[in-house]
Amino acid sequence: MEPDIQKIQNLLAAKDDTSRFVGLLLLKTTLDNHASDLQHEQVTRLWDSISPRFLDRLIRTGSQPASEQRRQSGDMLDVAVAVMYTFTKLLNDCALDEKLYARIPNLANAVLYR
């Protein structure tokens, strides 16, 4: 499991958003299928690997009013929200994290356009 976590962290740390999104998708799959196998420190490291700016871009892009890319950007928003939700369930202290609270205004805007 550790090599997979390292691979996810490397993708999330990449400079390009495509690699980061692939990392986020792998992270979502890992959390959905193996959350009970992960230790608290591994979950914390994964949460810390996600760039807050990247999450903001995904949320903003996914909450744009109707456009040609609406469906694709909506899928990006869904992944971002699902990952954040899973971390709030896995890490009680994550809910107290500024990284999560700072996303709330963008999440509220996303709800208005969905």
Short mmCIF file of all heavy atoms in Angstrom, two decimals, residues 72-98:
data_model
loop_
_atom_site.label_atom_id
_atom_site.label_comp_id
_atom_site.label_asym_id
_atom_site.label_seq_id
_atom_site.Cartn_x
_atom_site.Cartn_y
_atom_site.Cartn_z
N GLN A 72 -18.00 17.92 -17.92
CA GLN A 72 -16.66 17.52 -17.51
C GLN A 72 -16.23 18.27 -16.25
O GLN A 72 -15.68 17.69 -15.33
CB GLN A 72 -15.67 17.78 -18.63
CG GLN A 72 -14.27 17.32 -18.31
CD GLN A 72 -13.30 17.60 -19.43
OE1 GLN A 72 -13.59 18.35 -20.35
NE2 GLN A 72 -12.13 16.98 -19.36
N SER A 73 -16.51 19.56 -16.22
CA SER A 73 -16.12 20.34 -15.03
C SER A 73 -16.97 19.94 -13.83
O SER A 73 -16.50 19.96 -12.70
CB SER A 73 -16.23 21.83 -15.30
OG SER A 73 -17.55 22.22 -15.58
N GLY A 74 -18.21 19.52 -14.07
CA GLY A 74 -19.04 19.02 -12.97
C GLY A 74 -18.49 17.74 -12.39
O GLY A 74 -18.55 17.52 -11.18
N ASP A 75 -17.93 16.89 -13.25
CA ASP A 75 -17.29 15.67 -12.77
C ASP A 75 -16.08 15.99 -11.90
O ASP A 75 -15.84 15.33 -10.89
CB ASP A 75 -16.86 14.78 -13.94
CG ASP A 75 -18.04 14.21 -14.71
OD1 ASP A 75 -19.17 14.23 -14.17
OD2 ASP A 75 -17.83 13.75 -15.85
N MET A 76 -15.33 17.02 -12.30
CA MET A 76 -14.17 17.44 -11.50
C MET A 76 -14.62 17.93 -10.13
O MET A 76 -14.00 17.61 -9.12
CB MET A 76 -13.39 18.54 -12.21
CG MET A 76 -12.70 18.10 -13.45
SD MET A 76 -11.87 19.51 -14.20
CE MET A 76 -11.46 18.84 -15.79
N LEU A 77 -15.69 18.67 -10.11
CA LEU A 77 -16.24 19.17 -8.85
C LEU A 77 -16.68 17.99 -7.98
O LEU A 77 -16.40 17.96 -6.78
CB LEU A 77 -17.42 20.10 -9.11
CG LEU A 77 -18.20 20.57 -7.89
CD1 LEU A 77 -17.33 21.42 -6.98
CD2 LEU A 77 -19.44 21.33 -8.32
N ASP A 78 -17.34 17.01 -8.57
CA ASP A 78 -17.80 15.85 -7.83
C ASP A 78 -16.65 15.10 -7.16
O ASP A 78 -16.75 14.68 -6.01
CB ASP A 78 -18.58 14.89 -8.73
CG ASP A 78 -19.91 15.46 -9.20
OD1 ASP A 78 -20.37 16.46 -8.62
OD2 ASP A 78 -20.47 14.90 -10.16
N VAL A 79 -15.54 14.95 -7.89
CA VAL A 79 -14.39 14.25 -7.33
C VAL A 79 -13.80 15.06 -6.17
O VAL A 79 -13.51 14.51 -5.11
CB VAL A 79 -13.31 14.00 -8.42
CG1 VAL A 79 -12.01 13.50 -7.80
CG2 VAL A 79 -13.84 13.02 -9.45
N ALA A 80 -13.65 16.36 -6.36
CA ALA A 80 -13.09 17.21 -5.31
C ALA A 80 -13.95 17.16 -4.05
O ALA A 80 -13.44 16.99 -2.93
CB ALA A 80 -12.96 18.65 -5.80
N VAL A 81 -15.26 17.25 -4.22
CA VAL A 81 -16.17 17.23 -3.07
C VAL A 81 -16.15 15.85 -2.40
O VAL A 81 -16.12 15.76 -1.17
CB VAL A 81 -17.60 17.62 -3.50
CG1 VAL A 81 -18.60 17.37 -2.39
CG2 VAL A 81 -17.63 19.09 -3.93
N ALA A 82 -16.13 14.80 -3.19
CA ALA A 82 -16.11 13.44 -2.62
C ALA A 82 -14.85 13.20 -1.81
O ALA A 82 -14.90 12.61 -0.72
CB ALA A 82 -16.23 12.41 -3.74
N VAL A 83 -13.71 13.67 -2.30
CA VAL A 83 -12.45 13.49 -1.57
C VAL A 83 -12.48 14.29 -0.27
O VAL A 83 -12.11 13.77 0.79
CB VAL A 83 -11.25 13.88 -2.46
CG1 VAL A 83 -9.98 14.00 -1.64
CG2 VAL A 83 -11.06 12.85 -3.57
N MET A 84 -12.94 15.52 -0.33
CA MET A 84 -13.01 16.34 0.88
C MET A 84 -13.96 15.71 1.90
O MET A 84 -13.67 15.66 3.09
CB MET A 84 -13.43 17.76 0.53
CG MET A 84 -12.34 18.51 -0.21
SD MET A 84 -12.80 20.14 -0.85
CE MET A 84 -13.81 20.83 0.39
N TYR A 85 -15.09 15.22 1.44
CA TYR A 85 -16.06 14.58 2.33
C TYR A 85 -15.45 13.35 3.01
O TYR A 85 -15.58 13.17 4.22
CB TYR A 85 -17.30 14.19 1.53
CG TYR A 85 -18.27 13.32 2.31
CD1 TYR A 85 -19.07 13.87 3.29
CD2 TYR A 85 -18.37 11.97 2.05
CE1 TYR A 85 -19.96 13.09 4.02
CE2 TYR A 85 -19.24 11.17 2.77
CZ TYR A 85 -20.03 11.73 3.75
OH TYR A 85 -20.89 10.95 4.47
N THR A 86 -14.75 12.54 2.23
CA THR A 86 -14.15 11.33 2.79
C THR A 86 -13.11 11.68 3.84
O THR A 86 -13.05 11.04 4.90
CB THR A 86 -13.51 10.48 1.67
OG1 THR A 86 -14.54 10.14 0.72
CG2 THR A 86 -12.90 9.21 2.22
N PHE A 87 -12.31 12.71 3.58
CA PHE A 87 -11.32 13.11 4.58
C PHE A 87 -11.98 13.63 5.85
O PHE A 87 -11.46 13.40 6.94
CB PHE A 87 -10.35 14.15 4.02
CG PHE A 87 -9.20 13.54 3.28
CD1 PHE A 87 -9.09 13.68 1.91
CD2 PHE A 87 -8.22 12.82 3.95
CE1 PHE A 87 -8.03 13.12 1.21
CE2 PHE A 87 -7.16 12.25 3.27
CZ PHE A 87 -7.06 12.40 1.90
N THR A 88 -13.09 14.31 5.73
CA THR A 88 -13.75 14.78 6.95
C THR A 88 -14.27 13.61 7.78
O THR A 88 -14.33 13.69 9.00
CB THR A 88 -14.92 15.75 6.66
OG1 THR A 88 -15.89 15.11 5.85
CG2 THR A 88 -14.43 17.02 6.01
N LYS A 89 -14.63 12.51 7.12
CA LYS A 89 -15.06 11.32 7.85
C LYS A 89 -13.88 10.58 8.46
O LYS A 89 -13.99 10.06 9.57
CB LYS A 89 -15.81 10.37 6.91
CG LYS A 89 -17.19 10.85 6.56
CD LYS A 89 -17.97 9.94 5.63
CE LYS A 89 -17.51 8.54 5.50
NZ LYS A 89 -18.26 7.72 4.56
N LEU A 90 -12.75 10.54 7.76
CA LEU A 90 -11.60 9.77 8.23
C LEU A 90 -10.77 10.51 9.28
O LEU A 90 -10.18 9.90 10.16
CB LEU A 90 -10.69 9.40 7.05
CG LEU A 90 -11.27 8.43 6.04
CD1 LEU A 90 -10.31 8.27 4.87
CD2 LEU A 90 -11.56 7.08 6.70
N LEU A 91 -10.71 11.81 9.14
CA LEU A 91 -9.88 12.62 10.05
C LEU A 91 -10.77 13.60 10.79
O LEU A 91 -11.19 14.61 10.25
CB LEU A 91 -8.83 13.42 9.25
CG LEU A 91 -7.78 12.63 8.50
CD1 LEU A 91 -6.94 13.57 7.65
CD2 LEU A 91 -6.89 11.88 9.49
N ASN A 92 -11.03 13.31 12.02
CA ASN A 92 -11.86 14.22 12.81
C ASN A 92 -11.23 15.60 12.90
O ASN A 92 -11.93 16.61 12.87
CB ASN A 92 -12.08 13.67 14.21
CG ASN A 92 -12.91 12.41 14.19
OD1 ASN A 92 -13.72 12.23 13.30
ND2 ASN A 92 -12.71 11.55 15.16
N ASP A 93 -9.90 15.65 13.01
CA ASP A 93 -9.23 16.95 13.10
C ASP A 93 -9.20 17.67 11.77
O ASP A 93 -8.95 18.87 11.72
CB ASP A 93 -7.83 16.80 13.68
CG ASP A 93 -6.99 15.76 12.95
OD1 ASP A 93 -7.54 14.96 12.17
OD2 ASP A 93 -5.77 15.73 13.20
N CYS A 94 -9.47 16.98 10.68
CA CYS A 94 -9.53 17.62 9.37
C CYS A 94 -10.64 18.65 9.32
O CYS A 94 -10.52 19.70 8.69
CB CYS A 94 -9.74 16.55 8.30
SG CYS A 94 -10.16 17.19 6.68
N ALA A 95 -11.73 18.37 10.02
CA ALA A 95 -12.86 19.30 10.02
C ALA A 95 -12.49 20.62 10.69
O ALA A 95 -13.14 21.63 10.46
CB ALA A 95 -14.05 18.67 10.74
N LEU A 96 -11.45 20.61 11.49
CA LEU A 96 -10.99 21.83 12.13
C LEU A 96 -9.90 22.53 11.33
O LEU A 96 -9.42 23.58 11.72
CB LEU A 96 -10.45 21.51 13.53
CG LEU A 96 -11.42 20.81 14.47
CD1 LEU A 96 -10.72 20.43 15.75
CD2 LEU A 96 -12.63 21.68 14.75
N ASP A 97 -9.53 21.94 10.23
CA ASP A 97 -8.43 22.41 9.41
C ASP A 97 -8.84 23.62 8.57
O ASP A 97 -9.88 23.60 7.92
CB ASP A 97 -7.98 21.27 8.51
CG ASP A 97 -6.66 21.51 7.82
OD1 ASP A 97 -6.30 22.67 7.60
OD2 ASP A 97 -6.00 20.51 7.50
N GLU A 98 -8.01 24.64 8.56
CA GLU A 98 -8.25 25.84 7.75
C GLU A 98 -8.38 25.48 6.26
O GLU A 98 -9.13 26.11 5.52
CB GLU A 98 -7.13 26.85 7.96
CG GLU A 98 -7.26 28.10 7.12
CD GLU A 98 -8.50 28.93 7.46
OE1 GLU A 98 -8.97 28.87 8.59
OE2 GLU A 98 -8.99 29.63 6.56
#
